[in-house]
Amino acid sequence: HMRRARSQARQSSLSQRISSAYDTIAEPAYQRHILPQRDYAEHILDGRLDLDKLADHARRYLASRWPGWG
């Protein structure tokens, strides 16, 4: 039981550190550098799609823009 409790405590601590890093580093960087660039993008891929659908979507888009690609 002690080993399980220590493992769960480590996982919880790691989860909190990752969440904190995201809140203090990744999200502000996204807001400052990435989000403003969306206004200049010709096409934005939906990151909520599963990886296979996302890759297929990207391939189709590139093929439509660059004949002979892929």
Side-chain angles (χ1 to χ4, degrees):
H1 295 296
M2 290 297 292
R3 190 176 337 160
R4 182 179 300 161
R6 283 193 300 260
S7 177
Q8 288 174 340
R10 277 194 303 271
Q11 288 175 352
S12 177
S13 175
L14 176 60
S15 179
Q16 288 173 349
R17 288 194 311 263
I18 290 171
S19 178
S20 177
Y22 179 83
D23 291 343
T24 59
I25 298 168
E27 180 62 21
Y30 171 80
Q31 295 289 331
R32 183 173 179 190
H33 300 289
I34 305 300
L35 194 56
Q37 296 302 314
R38 292 173 69 106
D39 293 337
Y40 303 106
E42 288 183 28
H43 190 76
I44 298 172
L45 295 173
D46 186 347
R48 296 171 294 184
L49 297 174
D50 70 65
L51 189 56
D52 290 334
K53 287 182 181 177
L54 188 60
D56 185 53
H57 191 91
R59 278 191 291 274
R60 288 179 191 209
Y61 176 74
L62 289 172
S64 75
R65 301 293 292 174
W66 296 325
W69 185 88

Short mmCIF file of all heavy atoms in Angstrom, two decimals:
data_model
loop_
_atom_site.label_atom_id
_atom_site.label_comp_id
_atom_site.label_asym_id
_atom_site.label_seq_id
_atom_site.Cartn_x
_atom_site.Cartn_y
_atom_site.Cartn_z
N HIS A 1 0.81 -1.21 0.00
CA HIS A 1 0.00 0.00 0.00
C HIS A 1 0.85 1.27 0.00
O HIS A 1 0.48 2.26 -0.61
CB HIS A 1 -0.95 0.02 1.19
CG HIS A 1 -1.97 -1.06 1.14
ND1 HIS A 1 -2.91 -1.12 0.13
CD2 HIS A 1 -2.20 -2.12 1.93
CE1 HIS A 1 -3.68 -2.17 0.33
NE2 HIS A 1 -3.27 -2.81 1.42
N MET A 2 1.98 1.23 0.71
CA MET A 2 2.84 2.40 0.77
C MET A 2 3.43 2.72 -0.60
O MET A 2 3.51 3.88 -0.99
CB MET A 2 3.99 2.19 1.78
CG MET A 2 3.52 2.17 3.22
SD MET A 2 2.81 3.75 3.71
CE MET A 2 4.25 4.77 3.67
N ARG A 3 3.85 1.67 -1.32
CA ARG A 3 4.43 1.89 -2.65
C ARG A 3 3.41 2.53 -3.57
O ARG A 3 3.72 3.45 -4.32
CB ARG A 3 4.90 0.55 -3.22
CG ARG A 3 5.71 0.73 -4.46
CD ARG A 3 6.26 -0.55 -5.01
NE ARG A 3 6.38 -1.59 -4.02
CZ ARG A 3 6.48 -2.88 -4.29
NH1 ARG A 3 6.48 -3.28 -5.53
NH2 ARG A 3 6.58 -3.79 -3.35
N ARG A 4 2.18 2.06 -3.53
CA ARG A 4 1.11 2.62 -4.36
C ARG A 4 0.85 4.08 -3.98
O ARG A 4 0.70 4.94 -4.84
CB ARG A 4 -0.16 1.80 -4.23
CG ARG A 4 -1.27 2.34 -5.13
CD ARG A 4 -2.53 1.54 -5.04
NE ARG A 4 -2.26 0.16 -5.43
CZ ARG A 4 -3.04 -0.85 -5.11
NH1 ARG A 4 -4.13 -0.67 -4.42
NH2 ARG A 4 -2.74 -2.07 -5.50
N ALA A 5 0.82 4.37 -2.70
CA ALA A 5 0.58 5.74 -2.24
C ALA A 5 1.70 6.67 -2.70
O ALA A 5 1.44 7.79 -3.14
CB ALA A 5 0.45 5.78 -0.72
N ARG A 6 2.97 6.20 -2.59
CA ARG A 6 4.08 7.04 -3.04
C ARG A 6 4.02 7.26 -4.55
O ARG A 6 4.27 8.36 -5.03
CB ARG A 6 5.42 6.39 -2.65
CG ARG A 6 5.77 6.55 -1.18
CD ARG A 6 7.22 6.18 -0.93
NE ARG A 6 7.50 4.81 -1.31
CZ ARG A 6 7.59 3.77 -0.47
NH1 ARG A 6 7.40 3.98 0.83
NH2 ARG A 6 7.86 2.56 -0.90
N SER A 7 3.68 6.21 -5.29
CA SER A 7 3.57 6.33 -6.74
C SER A 7 2.48 7.32 -7.12
O SER A 7 2.67 8.16 -8.00
CB SER A 7 3.27 4.97 -7.36
OG SER A 7 3.09 5.08 -8.74
N GLN A 8 1.34 7.24 -6.46
CA GLN A 8 0.25 8.17 -6.74
C GLN A 8 0.63 9.60 -6.38
O GLN A 8 0.29 10.54 -7.10
CB GLN A 8 -1.01 7.75 -6.00
CG GLN A 8 -1.65 6.50 -6.58
CD GLN A 8 -2.82 5.99 -5.75
OE1 GLN A 8 -2.95 6.31 -4.57
NE2 GLN A 8 -3.66 5.19 -6.37
N ALA A 9 1.36 9.76 -5.28
CA ALA A 9 1.80 11.10 -4.88
C ALA A 9 2.76 11.67 -5.92
O ALA A 9 2.68 12.85 -6.26
CB ALA A 9 2.47 11.05 -3.51
N ARG A 10 3.70 10.84 -6.43
CA ARG A 10 4.62 11.31 -7.47
C ARG A 10 3.87 11.69 -8.73
O ARG A 10 4.16 12.72 -9.35
CB ARG A 10 5.65 10.23 -7.79
CG ARG A 10 6.82 10.19 -6.85
CD ARG A 10 7.95 9.35 -7.42
NE ARG A 10 7.55 7.99 -7.73
CZ ARG A 10 7.59 6.95 -6.89
NH1 ARG A 10 8.03 7.14 -5.66
NH2 ARG A 10 7.21 5.76 -7.26
N GLN A 11 2.91 10.88 -9.13
CA GLN A 11 2.14 11.18 -10.33
C GLN A 11 1.36 12.47 -10.16
O GLN A 11 1.29 13.28 -11.08
CB GLN A 11 1.21 10.02 -10.67
CG GLN A 11 1.93 8.81 -11.18
CD GLN A 11 1.00 7.62 -11.39
OE1 GLN A 11 -0.17 7.66 -11.01
NE2 GLN A 11 1.52 6.57 -11.97
N SER A 12 0.79 12.66 -8.99
CA SER A 12 0.03 13.88 -8.73
C SER A 12 0.96 15.10 -8.77
O SER A 12 0.61 16.13 -9.34
CB SER A 12 -0.66 13.79 -7.37
OG SER A 12 -1.32 14.99 -7.08
N SER A 13 2.13 14.96 -8.18
CA SER A 13 3.10 16.05 -8.17
C SER A 13 3.55 16.38 -9.59
O SER A 13 3.63 17.55 -9.97
CB SER A 13 4.30 15.68 -7.31
OG SER A 13 5.29 16.67 -7.37
N LEU A 14 3.83 15.35 -10.38
CA LEU A 14 4.25 15.57 -11.77
C LEU A 14 3.13 16.25 -12.56
O LEU A 14 3.37 17.19 -13.30
CB LEU A 14 4.63 14.24 -12.43
CG LEU A 14 4.98 14.31 -13.91
CD1 LEU A 14 6.18 15.22 -14.13
CD2 LEU A 14 5.24 12.91 -14.45
N SER A 15 1.91 15.78 -12.37
CA SER A 15 0.77 16.37 -13.06
C SER A 15 0.62 17.85 -12.71
O SER A 15 0.37 18.68 -13.57
CB SER A 15 -0.50 15.61 -12.70
OG SER A 15 -1.61 16.17 -13.33
N GLN A 16 0.81 18.17 -11.44
CA GLN A 16 0.72 19.57 -11.01
C GLN A 16 1.83 20.41 -11.62
O GLN A 16 1.60 21.54 -12.04
CB GLN A 16 0.77 19.67 -9.49
CG GLN A 16 -0.48 19.16 -8.82
CD GLN A 16 -0.35 19.10 -7.31
OE1 GLN A 16 0.74 19.25 -6.76
NE2 GLN A 16 -1.46 18.86 -6.64
N ARG A 17 3.05 19.86 -11.71
CA ARG A 17 4.17 20.60 -12.30
C ARG A 17 3.94 20.83 -13.79
O ARG A 17 4.22 21.91 -14.31
CB ARG A 17 5.49 19.87 -12.06
CG ARG A 17 5.95 19.94 -10.61
CD ARG A 17 7.40 19.50 -10.46
NE ARG A 17 7.73 18.26 -11.11
CZ ARG A 17 7.79 17.06 -10.52
NH1 ARG A 17 7.49 16.95 -9.24
NH2 ARG A 17 8.12 15.99 -11.20
N ILE A 18 3.43 19.81 -14.48
CA ILE A 18 3.16 19.97 -15.91
C ILE A 18 2.08 21.01 -16.13
O ILE A 18 2.20 21.87 -16.99
CB ILE A 18 2.76 18.61 -16.54
CG1 ILE A 18 3.99 17.70 -16.59
CG2 ILE A 18 2.18 18.81 -17.93
CD1 ILE A 18 3.67 16.27 -16.97
N SER A 19 1.03 20.94 -15.34
CA SER A 19 -0.05 21.91 -15.45
C SER A 19 0.46 23.32 -15.17
O SER A 19 0.13 24.27 -15.88
CB SER A 19 -1.17 21.55 -14.49
OG SER A 19 -2.21 22.48 -14.56
N SER A 20 1.29 23.46 -14.17
CA SER A 20 1.84 24.77 -13.81
C SER A 20 2.73 25.30 -14.93
O SER A 20 2.66 26.48 -15.28
CB SER A 20 2.64 24.66 -12.52
OG SER A 20 3.23 25.89 -12.22
N ALA A 21 3.56 24.42 -15.50
CA ALA A 21 4.43 24.84 -16.60
C ALA A 21 3.60 25.28 -17.80
O ALA A 21 3.92 26.27 -18.46
CB ALA A 21 5.37 23.71 -17.00
N TYR A 22 2.53 24.55 -18.08
CA TYR A 22 1.67 24.93 -19.20
C TYR A 22 1.08 26.32 -18.94
O TYR A 22 1.11 27.18 -19.81
CB TYR A 22 0.55 23.92 -19.40
CG TYR A 22 -0.36 24.30 -20.52
CD1 TYR A 22 -0.03 24.00 -21.84
CD2 TYR A 22 -1.53 25.03 -20.29
CE1 TYR A 22 -0.84 24.39 -22.89
CE2 TYR A 22 -2.34 25.42 -21.33
CZ TYR A 22 -2.00 25.09 -22.62
OH TYR A 22 -2.80 25.49 -23.65
N ASP A 23 0.55 26.51 -17.74
CA ASP A 23 -0.09 27.79 -17.42
C ASP A 23 0.88 28.96 -17.44
O ASP A 23 0.52 30.05 -17.87
CB ASP A 23 -0.75 27.72 -16.04
CG ASP A 23 -1.96 26.80 -16.01
OD1 ASP A 23 -2.49 26.47 -17.10
OD2 ASP A 23 -2.38 26.40 -14.91
N THR A 24 2.11 28.73 -17.01
CA THR A 24 3.05 29.85 -16.90
C THR A 24 3.93 30.03 -18.12
O THR A 24 4.44 31.13 -18.35
CB THR A 24 3.96 29.70 -15.66
OG1 THR A 24 4.68 28.48 -15.77
CG2 THR A 24 3.15 29.73 -14.39
N ILE A 25 4.12 28.98 -18.93
CA ILE A 25 5.03 29.08 -20.07
C ILE A 25 4.31 28.88 -21.41
O ILE A 25 4.33 29.75 -22.27
CB ILE A 25 6.17 28.05 -19.95
CG1 ILE A 25 7.00 28.34 -18.70
CG2 ILE A 25 7.06 28.08 -21.19
CD1 ILE A 25 7.96 27.24 -18.33
N ALA A 26 3.68 27.73 -21.58
CA ALA A 26 3.14 27.37 -22.89
C ALA A 26 1.96 28.25 -23.30
O ALA A 26 1.91 28.75 -24.43
CB ALA A 26 2.73 25.90 -22.92
N GLU A 27 1.01 28.43 -22.43
CA GLU A 27 -0.18 29.22 -22.80
C GLU A 27 0.17 30.67 -23.11
O GLU A 27 -0.27 31.20 -24.13
CB GLU A 27 -1.25 29.12 -21.72
CG GLU A 27 -2.51 29.91 -22.03
CD GLU A 27 -3.25 29.44 -23.29
OE1 GLU A 27 -3.06 28.29 -23.73
OE2 GLU A 27 -4.03 30.24 -23.85
N PRO A 28 0.98 31.36 -22.27
CA PRO A 28 1.35 32.74 -22.63
C PRO A 28 2.13 32.81 -23.94
O PRO A 28 1.94 33.74 -24.73
CB PRO A 28 2.20 33.20 -21.45
CG PRO A 28 1.76 32.37 -20.31
CD PRO A 28 1.41 31.03 -20.90
N ALA A 29 3.01 31.84 -24.19
CA ALA A 29 3.76 31.83 -25.45
C ALA A 29 2.81 31.63 -26.63
O ALA A 29 2.96 32.26 -27.67
CB ALA A 29 4.82 30.73 -25.43
N TYR A 30 1.84 30.74 -26.46
CA TYR A 30 0.84 30.53 -27.52
C TYR A 30 0.08 31.82 -27.79
O TYR A 30 -0.09 32.24 -28.93
CB TYR A 30 -0.12 29.42 -27.11
CG TYR A 30 -1.29 29.28 -28.04
CD1 TYR A 30 -1.17 28.60 -29.24
CD2 TYR A 30 -2.52 29.84 -27.72
CE1 TYR A 30 -2.24 28.48 -30.11
CE2 TYR A 30 -3.60 29.73 -28.58
CZ TYR A 30 -3.45 29.05 -29.77
OH TYR A 30 -4.52 28.94 -30.63
N GLN A 31 -0.39 32.47 -26.73
CA GLN A 31 -1.15 33.71 -26.87
C GLN A 31 -0.32 34.80 -27.54
O GLN A 31 -0.84 35.56 -28.35
CB GLN A 31 -1.63 34.20 -25.50
CG GLN A 31 -2.62 33.30 -24.82
CD GLN A 31 -3.98 33.32 -25.50
OE1 GLN A 31 -4.37 34.31 -26.09
NE2 GLN A 31 -4.70 32.22 -25.40
N ARG A 32 0.95 34.87 -27.22
CA ARG A 32 1.81 35.94 -27.73
C ARG A 32 2.32 35.68 -29.15
O ARG A 32 2.38 36.60 -29.96
CB ARG A 32 2.98 36.14 -26.80
CG ARG A 32 3.88 37.26 -27.21
CD ARG A 32 4.93 37.52 -26.19
NE ARG A 32 5.79 38.61 -26.64
CZ ARG A 32 6.91 38.94 -26.07
NH1 ARG A 32 7.31 38.31 -25.01
NH2 ARG A 32 7.62 39.93 -26.54
N HIS A 33 2.69 34.43 -29.44
CA HIS A 33 3.39 34.16 -30.70
C HIS A 33 2.56 33.41 -31.73
O HIS A 33 2.69 33.68 -32.92
CB HIS A 33 4.68 33.36 -30.43
CG HIS A 33 5.62 34.08 -29.53
ND1 HIS A 33 6.33 35.19 -29.92
CD2 HIS A 33 5.97 33.85 -28.23
CE1 HIS A 33 7.07 35.62 -28.92
NE2 HIS A 33 6.88 34.82 -27.88
N ILE A 34 1.78 32.46 -31.31
CA ILE A 34 1.06 31.60 -32.26
C ILE A 34 -0.29 32.18 -32.65
O ILE A 34 -0.61 32.31 -33.83
CB ILE A 34 0.88 30.18 -31.69
CG1 ILE A 34 2.22 29.57 -31.28
CG2 ILE A 34 0.13 29.29 -32.66
CD1 ILE A 34 3.21 29.44 -32.41
N LEU A 35 -1.09 32.52 -31.67
CA LEU A 35 -2.45 32.99 -31.94
C LEU A 35 -2.50 34.18 -32.90
O LEU A 35 -3.31 34.17 -33.83
CB LEU A 35 -3.16 33.31 -30.62
CG LEU A 35 -4.66 33.49 -30.69
CD1 LEU A 35 -5.35 32.28 -31.30
CD2 LEU A 35 -5.21 33.76 -29.30
N PRO A 36 -1.63 35.19 -32.75
CA PRO A 36 -1.68 36.31 -33.70
C PRO A 36 -1.39 35.90 -35.15
O PRO A 36 -1.85 36.55 -36.07
CB PRO A 36 -0.61 37.27 -33.19
CG PRO A 36 -0.44 36.95 -31.76
CD PRO A 36 -0.69 35.47 -31.66
N GLN A 37 -0.63 34.83 -35.35
CA GLN A 37 -0.29 34.39 -36.70
C GLN A 37 -1.47 33.78 -37.43
O GLN A 37 -1.46 33.67 -38.66
CB GLN A 37 0.87 33.39 -36.65
CG GLN A 37 2.15 33.99 -36.12
CD GLN A 37 2.61 35.18 -36.95
OE1 GLN A 37 2.62 35.13 -38.17
NE2 GLN A 37 2.97 36.26 -36.29
N ARG A 38 -2.50 33.37 -36.71
CA ARG A 38 -3.68 32.79 -37.35
C ARG A 38 -4.30 33.76 -38.35
O ARG A 38 -4.87 33.34 -39.35
CB ARG A 38 -4.70 32.37 -36.31
CG ARG A 38 -4.25 31.20 -35.46
CD ARG A 38 -5.23 30.93 -34.34
NE ARG A 38 -6.49 30.42 -34.86
CZ ARG A 38 -6.88 29.16 -34.77
NH1 ARG A 38 -6.12 28.29 -34.16
NH2 ARG A 38 -8.03 28.79 -35.25
N ASP A 39 -4.19 35.04 -38.10
CA ASP A 39 -4.74 36.04 -39.02
C ASP A 39 -4.04 36.01 -40.38
O ASP A 39 -4.62 36.44 -41.38
CB ASP A 39 -4.63 37.44 -38.42
CG ASP A 39 -5.50 37.63 -37.20
OD1 ASP A 39 -6.48 36.88 -37.04
OD2 ASP A 39 -5.19 38.53 -36.40
N TYR A 40 -2.82 35.54 -40.42
CA TYR A 40 -2.04 35.50 -41.65
C TYR A 40 -2.08 34.13 -42.35
O TYR A 40 -1.58 34.00 -43.45
CB TYR A 40 -0.57 35.86 -41.38
CG TYR A 40 -0.42 37.21 -40.74
CD1 TYR A 40 -0.09 37.32 -39.39
CD2 TYR A 40 -0.63 38.37 -41.46
CE1 TYR A 40 0.05 38.56 -38.79
CE2 TYR A 40 -0.50 39.61 -40.86
CZ TYR A 40 -0.16 39.69 -39.53
OH TYR A 40 -0.03 40.92 -38.93
N ALA A 41 -2.66 33.15 -41.70
CA ALA A 41 -2.65 31.78 -42.23
C ALA A 41 -3.65 31.62 -43.37
O ALA A 41 -4.74 32.16 -43.34
CB ALA A 41 -2.97 30.79 -41.12
N GLU A 42 -3.24 30.87 -44.38
CA GLU A 42 -4.16 30.52 -45.46
C GLU A 42 -5.05 29.37 -45.04
O GLU A 42 -6.17 29.25 -45.50
CB GLU A 42 -3.36 30.08 -46.70
CG GLU A 42 -2.67 31.20 -47.41
CD GLU A 42 -1.97 30.69 -48.65
OE1 GLU A 42 -2.42 29.69 -49.24
OE2 GLU A 42 -0.97 31.29 -49.04
N HIS A 43 -4.53 28.51 -44.20
CA HIS A 43 -5.25 27.31 -43.81
C HIS A 43 -4.83 26.92 -42.39
O HIS A 43 -3.65 26.97 -42.06
CB HIS A 43 -4.91 26.17 -44.78
CG HIS A 43 -5.77 24.98 -44.62
ND1 HIS A 43 -7.05 24.92 -45.07
CD2 HIS A 43 -5.52 23.78 -44.05
CE1 HIS A 43 -7.56 23.74 -44.79
NE2 HIS A 43 -6.65 23.04 -44.17
N ILE A 44 -5.78 26.53 -41.57
CA ILE A 44 -5.49 26.11 -40.20
C ILE A 44 -6.00 24.69 -40.02
O ILE A 44 -7.17 24.41 -40.29
CB ILE A 44 -6.17 27.05 -39.17
CG1 ILE A 44 -5.62 28.46 -39.34
CG2 ILE A 44 -5.95 26.54 -37.76
CD1 ILE A 44 -6.34 29.50 -38.53
N LEU A 45 -5.11 23.79 -39.60
CA LEU A 45 -5.50 22.41 -39.35
C LEU A 45 -6.16 22.30 -37.99
O LEU A 45 -5.73 22.93 -37.03
CB LEU A 45 -4.27 21.50 -39.41
CG LEU A 45 -3.60 21.43 -40.78
CD1 LEU A 45 -2.30 20.65 -40.68
CD2 LEU A 45 -4.52 20.78 -41.79
N ASP A 46 -7.18 21.48 -37.92
CA ASP A 46 -7.91 21.27 -36.66
C ASP A 46 -7.17 20.25 -35.82
O ASP A 46 -7.19 19.06 -36.12
CB ASP A 46 -9.33 20.80 -36.99
CG ASP A 46 -10.20 20.69 -35.76
OD1 ASP A 46 -9.67 20.75 -34.62
OD2 ASP A 46 -11.42 20.55 -35.92
N GLY A 47 -6.51 20.69 -34.77
CA GLY A 47 -5.74 19.80 -33.90
C GLY A 47 -6.59 18.86 -33.08
O GLY A 47 -6.05 18.01 -32.37
N ARG A 48 -7.90 18.97 -33.15
CA ARG A 48 -8.77 18.05 -32.40
C ARG A 48 -9.02 16.77 -33.17
O ARG A 48 -9.53 15.81 -32.62
CB ARG A 48 -10.10 18.73 -32.08
CG ARG A 48 -9.94 19.94 -31.15
CD ARG A 48 -11.21 20.70 -31.05
NE ARG A 48 -11.49 21.27 -32.37
CZ ARG A 48 -12.50 22.07 -32.64
NH1 ARG A 48 -13.34 22.40 -31.70
NH2 ARG A 48 -12.67 22.55 -33.85
N LEU A 49 -8.64 16.73 -34.46
CA LEU A 49 -8.84 15.52 -35.24
C LEU A 49 -7.84 14.46 -34.81
O LEU A 49 -6.76 14.78 -34.31
CB LEU A 49 -8.63 15.81 -36.73
CG LEU A 49 -9.59 16.79 -37.39
CD1 LEU A 49 -9.15 17.08 -38.81
CD2 LEU A 49 -11.00 16.22 -37.39
N ASP A 50 -8.19 13.18 -35.02
CA ASP A 50 -7.21 12.15 -34.71
C ASP A 50 -6.06 12.26 -35.71
O ASP A 50 -6.19 12.87 -36.77
CB ASP A 50 -7.82 10.74 -34.69
CG ASP A 50 -8.22 10.23 -36.05
OD1 ASP A 50 -7.32 10.03 -36.88
OD2 ASP A 50 -9.43 10.01 -36.28
N LEU A 51 -4.93 11.69 -35.36
CA LEU A 51 -3.70 11.90 -36.11
C LEU A 51 -3.82 11.48 -37.58
O LEU A 51 -3.34 12.19 -38.46
CB LEU A 51 -2.55 11.16 -35.44
CG LEU A 51 -1.16 11.44 -35.98
CD1 LEU A 51 -0.85 12.93 -35.95
CD2 LEU A 51 -0.13 10.67 -35.18
N ASP A 52 -4.45 10.35 -37.86
CA ASP A 52 -4.59 9.90 -39.25
C ASP A 52 -5.42 10.87 -40.08
O ASP A 52 -5.06 11.20 -41.21
CB ASP A 52 -5.21 8.50 -39.31
CG ASP A 52 -4.27 7.43 -38.80
OD1 ASP A 52 -3.04 7.63 -38.86
OD2 ASP A 52 -4.76 6.38 -38.34
N LYS A 53 -6.53 11.35 -39.52
CA LYS A 53 -7.37 12.30 -40.24
C LYS A 53 -6.64 13.63 -40.44
O LYS A 53 -6.74 14.26 -41.49
CB LYS A 53 -8.68 12.54 -39.50
CG LYS A 53 -9.63 11.38 -39.58
CD LYS A 53 -10.93 11.68 -38.86
CE LYS A 53 -11.87 10.50 -38.93
NZ LYS A 53 -13.10 10.74 -38.18
N LEU A 54 -5.91 14.05 -39.43
CA LEU A 54 -5.16 15.30 -39.51
C LEU A 54 -4.08 15.21 -40.60
O LEU A 54 -3.93 16.12 -41.42
CB LEU A 54 -4.53 15.62 -38.16
CG LEU A 54 -3.86 16.97 -38.01
CD1 LEU A 54 -4.85 18.09 -38.25
CD2 LEU A 54 -3.25 17.10 -36.63
N ALA A 55 -3.36 14.09 -40.64
CA ALA A 55 -2.32 13.91 -41.65
C ALA A 55 -2.94 13.85 -43.04
O ALA A 55 -2.41 14.45 -43.99
CB ALA A 55 -1.53 12.64 -41.36
N ASP A 56 -4.06 13.17 -43.18
CA ASP A 56 -4.74 13.09 -44.48
C ASP A 56 -5.20 14.48 -44.93
O ASP A 56 -5.04 14.86 -46.08
CB ASP A 56 -5.92 12.13 -44.41
CG ASP A 56 -6.58 11.93 -45.75
OD1 ASP A 56 -5.87 11.59 -46.72
OD2 ASP A 56 -7.82 12.12 -45.83
N HIS A 57 -5.75 15.23 -44.00
CA HIS A 57 -6.20 16.59 -44.29
C HIS A 57 -5.02 17.44 -44.77
O HIS A 57 -5.13 18.18 -45.76
CB HIS A 57 -6.83 17.19 -43.03
CG HIS A 57 -7.55 18.45 -43.24
ND1 HIS A 57 -8.88 18.52 -43.54
CD2 HIS A 57 -7.12 19.74 -43.19
CE1 HIS A 57 -9.24 19.78 -43.66
NE2 HIS A 57 -8.20 20.54 -43.46
N ALA A 58 -3.88 17.32 -44.09
CA ALA A 58 -2.69 18.10 -44.47
C ALA A 58 -2.20 17.68 -45.86
O ALA A 58 -1.86 18.53 -46.69
CB ALA A 58 -1.58 17.90 -43.44
N ARG A 59 -2.16 16.37 -46.13
CA ARG A 59 -1.72 15.90 -47.45
C ARG A 59 -2.64 16.42 -48.55
O ARG A 59 -2.17 16.87 -49.60
CB ARG A 59 -1.70 14.37 -47.48
CG ARG A 59 -0.46 13.76 -46.89
CD ARG A 59 -0.38 12.27 -47.19
NE ARG A 59 -1.38 11.50 -46.48
CZ ARG A 59 -1.24 11.03 -45.25
NH1 ARG A 59 -0.13 11.25 -44.58
NH2 ARG A 59 -2.19 10.34 -44.67
N ARG A 60 -3.93 16.35 -48.33
CA ARG A 60 -4.88 16.83 -49.34
C ARG A 60 -4.70 18.33 -49.60
O ARG A 60 -4.76 18.79 -50.72
CB ARG A 60 -6.32 16.55 -48.92
CG ARG A 60 -6.69 15.11 -48.99
CD ARG A 60 -8.11 14.94 -48.54
NE ARG A 60 -8.43 13.55 -48.35
CZ ARG A 60 -9.62 13.05 -48.50
NH1 ARG A 60 -10.63 13.83 -48.82
NH2 ARG A 60 -9.83 11.77 -48.30
N TYR A 61 -4.52 19.07 -48.52
CA TYR A 61 -4.34 20.52 -48.67
C TYR A 61 -3.07 20.82 -49.46
O TYR A 61 -3.09 21.62 -50.39
CB TYR A 61 -4.29 21.21 -47.31
CG TYR A 61 -4.01 22.68 -47.44
CD1 TYR A 61 -5.00 23.54 -47.91
CD2 TYR A 61 -2.76 23.21 -47.16
CE1 TYR A 61 -4.75 24.89 -48.08
CE2 TYR A 61 -2.50 24.55 -47.32
CZ TYR A 61 -3.50 25.39 -47.79
OH TYR A 61 -3.24 26.71 -47.96
N LEU A 62 -1.98 20.17 -49.09
CA LEU A 62 -0.72 20.41 -49.81
C LEU A 62 -0.84 20.01 -51.27
O LEU A 62 -0.35 20.72 -52.16
CB LEU A 62 0.43 19.65 -49.14
CG LEU A 62 0.85 20.21 -47.78
CD1 LEU A 62 1.86 19.28 -47.12
CD2 LEU A 62 1.41 21.62 -47.92
N ALA A 63 -1.48 18.88 -51.55
CA ALA A 63 -1.66 18.44 -52.94
C ALA A 63 -2.51 19.43 -53.72
O ALA A 63 -2.27 19.66 -54.91
CB ALA A 63 -2.29 17.06 -52.97
N SER A 64 -3.48 20.06 -53.08
CA SER A 64 -4.32 21.04 -53.77
C SER A 64 -3.56 22.33 -54.06
O SER A 64 -3.87 23.03 -55.02
CB SER A 64 -5.58 21.35 -52.96
OG SER A 64 -5.30 22.19 -51.86
N ARG A 65 -2.58 22.64 -53.24
CA ARG A 65 -1.82 23.87 -53.41
C ARG A 65 -0.62 23.71 -54.33
O ARG A 65 -0.21 24.64 -54.99
CB ARG A 65 -1.33 24.40 -52.05
CG ARG A 65 -2.44 24.71 -51.06
CD ARG A 65 -3.28 25.86 -51.48
NE ARG A 65 -2.48 27.06 -51.43
CZ ARG A 65 -2.88 28.23 -51.85
NH1 ARG A 65 -4.08 28.38 -52.33
NH2 ARG A 65 -2.10 29.28 -51.78
N TRP A 66 -0.02 22.51 -54.31
CA TRP A 66 1.19 22.24 -55.08
C TRP A 66 0.95 21.01 -55.95
O TRP A 66 1.21 19.88 -55.51
CB TRP A 66 2.38 21.99 -54.18
CG TRP A 66 2.79 23.19 -53.35
CD1 TRP A 66 2.73 24.48 -53.73
CD2 TRP A 66 3.29 23.17 -52.02
NE1 TRP A 66 3.19 25.28 -52.73
CE2 TRP A 66 3.54 24.50 -51.66
CE3 TRP A 66 3.57 22.17 -51.11
CZ2 TRP A 66 4.05 24.86 -50.43
CZ3 TRP A 66 4.07 22.52 -49.88
CH2 TRP A 66 4.31 23.84 -49.56
N PRO A 67 0.49 21.20 -57.17
CA PRO A 67 0.27 20.04 -58.05
C PRO A 67 1.56 19.22 -58.18
O PRO A 67 2.65 19.76 -58.26
CB PRO A 67 -0.12 20.68 -59.39
CG PRO A 67 -0.66 22.03 -59.01
CD PRO A 67 0.14 22.45 -57.80
N GLY A 68 1.41 17.93 -58.15
CA GLY A 68 2.56 17.04 -58.26
C GLY A 68 3.18 16.70 -56.94
O GLY A 68 4.07 15.86 -56.85
N TRP A 69 2.72 17.35 -55.86
CA TRP A 69 3.27 17.04 -54.54
C TRP A 69 2.64 15.76 -54.04
O TRP A 69 1.45 15.54 -54.16
CB TRP A 69 2.97 18.16 -53.55
CG TRP A 69 3.61 17.93 -52.21
CD1 TRP A 69 4.86 18.30 -51.85
CD2 TRP A 69 3.03 17.27 -51.09
NE1 TRP A 69 5.10 17.92 -50.56
CE2 TRP A 69 3.99 17.27 -50.07
CE3 TRP A 69 1.81 16.66 -50.84
CZ2 TRP A 69 3.79 16.71 -48.82
CZ3 TRP A 69 1.59 16.09 -49.61
CH2 TRP A 69 2.57 16.13 -48.61
N GLY A 70 3.40 14.94 -53.39
CA GLY A 70 2.89 13.74 -52.73
C GLY A 70 2.58 12.68 -53.71
O GLY A 70 1.95 11.75 -53.62
#
